[in-house]
Amino acid sequence: MSSIMTNASAMTALQSLSATNKALNTTQGRISTGYRVAEASDNAAYWSIATTMRSDNKALSTVQDALGLGAGKVDTAYTAMNKALTVVEEIKLKLVAAVGASEADKAKIDTEIKARQEQLKSIAGGATFSGANWLAVDTKDHATPGKHDGASIVSSFDRASNGTVTLGKITIDVQPIKLFDTGFADANNDGVLDAGEEFDAVDMGILDGLRLGTSGKRDNAATAATAGTVAATDGYSVTTLKVTGSNDIQIQQMLNVVEKALSEMTDAATILGAAKTRIDLQKDFVSKLMDSIDRGVGQLVDADMDRESTRLQALQVQQQLGIQALSIANSNSQNILSLFKG
C-alpha cells in the first residue's frame, strides 16, 4: 500500500541513519580522545576503577619524590661518614707515629691531629640535606633525650581490598650513626664524633665522648686522663685527645679509643650503605609499579586505534548508504504523484 501520510520506508531509513550517526560520533570521540571509556557514562565500572588507579598512581609519584629526597639525605650522610672515617684513620696513623717520639715531635703531631679533629667537626656539621643532618644532631627534644627518635622515609602507598590506604616507610636508625649529639645523654648514648666545644660541651659522641683507654668503649666511669700519669679510669676523646706530655702507655690507650671509634663508624657506614641500597631498590620498584598501573588502566579505558579506524571507515560508508536510502524513501511520494498525471 502506498501512502502520502505515512512513509514507512523513510522512517526506517531515518532510524537506521540516526543509529549510524550515533555510532559514528562515538567512534570519532574515541579517536579524538584516545579513550573508549572517557566518562562514567561510557562504562561506570571501568571508569570508577580507572579513576581510583590514576589517583593511586599520582600518590605513588609523590612517594617516588619522597624516596628521592630520602636518598639525598642518606647519600649525604654516607658520603660524610666515609670522609670522617678517612680522617679518623689519619689520626690513628699520627698516634702510631707519636709512640717513642720526642716532645718536640709530639707537639708537631698534636698540631696535625688538631687540624683533623676540627675537620671531623666540619664534616659532621656540613652533612645537611634539605634541613636534615643525621651526623650532627640535637636530641634534647626527642622522646628520650640523648636517644634519637630515628628518621622515616615514605616508601610505598598501599590500598587494601577493602579500600583502606596505608603508607609504608623505611626507618633509619640514627642513634648508632650520629657523630655529634648536643642532647643531654650519658656516655653510653653519645654520638660517633660528638660535637665537643664547637657544638655543645654538654654531650659527647662516639668520637668525642670519653672512652676508657683500656677498652676504647664509652663508659660513664671514664675520667679525663692526666698527661704522663696512668690510671684505671683514664678516658680519652677522639676529638680532644693530645699526645703532648703523654707517655707511650697513654698513647697506646688513645689508639684503643680511636680503633674502637673506627669500628663503630664502620658499622654506622654499613647501616647507611644498607639503607641506600634499600631506597634504590624501592625507587626502582615504585617506578615499575607505576608503569604497571598505567598499563592496567590503559587496558580498561584506552581505545584500540586500529580497530576504531577500521570501524570509522565502515560507519562512514554506512552513513553514505543511509543517506542514499533515505533519499530513495523520500522519492516515493514523487512516484505517487506521477500516478495522477494524465
Side-chain angles (χ1 to χ4, degrees):
M1 182 185 74
S2 297
S3 171
I4 62 172
M5 302 302 296
T6 303
N7 190 338
S9 297
M11 288 189 291
T12 300
L14 182 60
Q15 290 175 357
S16 177
L17 181 59
S18 295
T20 300
N21 286 338
K22 183 177 180 181
L24 186 60
N25 288 335
T26 299
T27 300
Q28 287 176 330
R30 291 176 178 177
I31 291 174
S32 62
T33 63
Y35 293 114
R36 68 185 177 95
V37 180
E39 300 176 355
S41 57
D42 295 331
N43 187 315
Y46 282 5
W47 180 85
S48 176
I49 294 171
T51 299
T52 300
M53 293 176 72
R54 287 192 186 108
S55 176
D56 289 354
N57 227 19
K58 290 179 181 178
L60 284 175
S61 179
T62 302
V63 168
Q64 198 171 39
D65 292 340
L67 284 169
L69 185 62
K73 294 176 181 178
V74 172
D75 284 343
T76 300
Y78 182 76
T79 300
M81 184 65 73
N82 279 337
K83 183 59 180 176
L85 268 166
T86 300
V87 175
V88 175
E89 287 173 351
E90 292 174 355
I91 292 176
K92 174 183 174 180
L93 296 179
K94 297 303 176 184
L95 289 174
V96 173
V99 176
S102 65
E103 285 302 309
D105 287 341
K106 287 181 180 179
K108 295 175 183 177
I109 292 172
D110 263 338
T111 299
E112 294 184 274
I113 290 177
K114 179 64 175 177
R116 286 161 176 77
Q117 289 169 337
E118 293 300 322
Q119 181 63 21
L120 288 174
K121 297 173 183 178
S122 177
I123 290 171
T128 301
F129 184 91
S130 187
N133 188 326
W134 296 341
L135 302 190
V137 304
D138 183 352
T139 59
K140 288 194 295 290
D141 297 325
H142 288 230
T144 301
K147 292 187 177 181
H148 200 285
D149 293 337
S152 296
I153 300 170
V154 176
S155 59
S156 64
F157 177 89
D158 307 315
R159 182 182 295 276
S161 58
N162 62 0
T164 303
V165 171
T166 56
L167 292 177
K169 297 179 181 179
I170 294 175
T171 300
I172 309 296
D173 188 3
V174 179
Q175 183 66 14
I177 68 174
K178 64 182 183 179
L179 299 183
F180 297 104
D181 187 350
T182 59
F184 303 104
D186 58 19
N188 295 323
N189 289 323
D190 290 335
V192 180
L193 282 178
D194 224 311
E197 296 178 359
E198 183 172 323
F199 292 89
D200 190 328
V202 173
D203 183 49
M204 303 301 171
I206 292 182
L207 293 185
D208 208 27
L210 287 180
R211 297 169 177 270
L212 282 175
T214 54
S215 65
K217 296 181 179 179
R218 286 169 285 177
D219 196 316
N220 290 324
T223 57
T226 301
T229 303
V230 178
T233 58
D234 279 352
Y236 302 89
S237 163
V238 173
T239 53
T240 59
L241 59 82
K242 297 179 181 180
V243 298
T244 304
S246 299
N247 57 41
D248 287 351
I249 295 177
Q250 289 182 309
I251 294 176
Q252 176 60 56
Q253 290 185 336
M254 294 178 193
L255 279 169
N256 292 340
V257 167
V258 170
E259 194 63 38
K260 185 62 178 178
L262 276 172
S263 175
E264 292 181 17
M265 291 177 69
T266 300
D267 291 342
T270 300
I271 293 173
L272 289 170
K276 183 177 184 295
T277 299
R278 184 181 177 189
I279 290 173
D280 288 341
L281 288 172
Q282 188 65 15
K283 285 172 63 179
D284 183 62
F285 169 71
V286 171
S287 177
K288 291 180 179 178
L289 182 59
M290 291 174 65
D291 291 343
S292 177
I293 291 176
D294 280 337
R295 288 194 296 270
V297 172
Q299 291 292 326
L300 290 177
V301 301
D302 286 357
D304 184 339
M305 300 306 284
D306 292 336
R307 180 178 180 181
E308 297 302 332
S309 176
T310 301
R311 182 173 176 78
L312 177 65
Q313 296 180 35
L315 288 171
Q316 287 174 335
V317 172
Q318 291 178 34
Q319 183 186 50
Q320 293 172 11
L321 291 174
I323 293 173
Q324 187 65 30
L326 182 59
S327 177
I328 293 172
N330 286 332
S331 68
N332 288 338
S333 298
Q334 297 296 325
N335 293 335
I336 294 174
L337 180 62
S338 66
L339 296 175
F340 297 95
K341 291 182 178 179

